[in-house]
Amino acid sequence: MNPSTWLLLQRTVRFGETDAAGVMHFQQLLRWCHEAYEESLERFGLEAAAIFPTPGHSPEVALPIVHCSADFRRPLVCGDPLAIALEPKRLDPGCFEVHYRFSSQEQDVATGLTRHLAIRTDGRSRCELPAGINRWLEASSLKVGIQPLT
């Protein structure tokens, strides 16, 4: 499995993601970061229900965002193609961050960052990252073809 299949994503800027001036509304960038993170996990082979709460199911470990940032370099308008490159990085056994690089037509347009902390859902105490997230982080750091564990 080639890491680019889960670390390089494509999308198009939609009209509803722009403001009255016709450019991407600033809050969209962090939404796109989280959507790219979710899609990357799914493409790697981790089901959303294993990571995120769903009706009737709550994972043992939650991964809340404890820090985020965004920098804008060029405006984006409806119809612009957008490539999102993810660079996940483990910070310690219970914390990781994802750097996002957004480009359009081979120009850097924005960057984003989300930092996630593993906590037990039953008591909100810090804990180690779930095994699936650890595999995703490890495979992402290798930058070579691998087979995810299922």
Side-chain angles (χ1 to χ4, degrees), residues 1-7 39-46 135-136 139-140 142-150:
M1 182 179 214
N2 184 336
S4 67
T5 62
W6 75 83
L7 295 177
E39 185 174 341
S40 178
L41 293 174
E42 289 170 0
R43 286 184 179 200
F44 181 69
L46 297 174
R135 287 193 306 272
W136 176 72
S140 298
L142 295 176
K143 307 287 188 203
V144 295
I146 57 98
Q147 294 296 321
L149 299 174
T150 55

Side-chain angles (χ1 to χ4, degrees), residues 17-96:
E17 298 167 331
T18 62
D19 61 18
V23 297
M24 183 246 332
H25 194 263
F26 73 93
Q27 57 88 16
Q28 294 297 335
L29 191 68
L30 290 174
R31 190 186 76 148
W32 291 341
C33 287
H34 204 280
E35 287 176 355
Y37 161 62
E38 292 177 49
E39 185 174 341
S40 178
L41 293 174
E42 289 170 0
R43 286 184 179 200
F44 181 69
L46 297 174
E47 294 184 22
I51 306 299
F52 304 104
T54 59
H57 169 72
S58 181
E60 292 180 21
V61 176
L63 299 167
I65 294 173
V66 295
H67 174 76
C68 61
S69 64
D71 292 303
F72 304 87
R73 293 185 168 68
R74 297 189 191 296
L76 291 166
V77 299
C78 178
D80 279 349
L82 195 58
I84 308 166
L86 288 76
E87 296 177 24
K89 177 182 176 186
R90 182 185 350 264
L91 300 177
D92 64 44
C95 186
F96 70 97

Side-chain angles (χ1 to χ4, degrees), residues 58-138:
S58 181
E60 292 180 21
V61 176
L63 299 167
I65 294 173
V66 295
H67 174 76
C68 61
S69 64
D71 292 303
F72 304 87
R73 293 185 168 68
R74 297 189 191 296
L76 291 166
V77 299
C78 178
D80 279 349
L82 195 58
I84 308 166
L86 288 76
E87 296 177 24
K89 177 182 176 186
R90 182 185 350 264
L91 300 177
D92 64 44
C95 186
F96 70 97
E97 63 187 18
V98 183
H99 292 262
Y100 307 84
R101 191 178 78 251
F102 294 81
S103 59
S104 182
Q105 301 170 358
E106 300 186 26
Q107 291 188 21
D108 288 339
V109 294
T111 58
L113 172 97
T114 56
R115 186 169 303 131
H116 305 254
L117 181 69
I119 59 171
R120 297 193 188 291
T121 54
D122 61 1
R124 300 291 193 203
S125 59
R126 285 189 73 164
C127 62
E128 291 190 4
L129 294 167
I133 293 291
N134 273 321
R135 287 193 306 272
W136 176 72
L137 290 166
E138 182 67 26

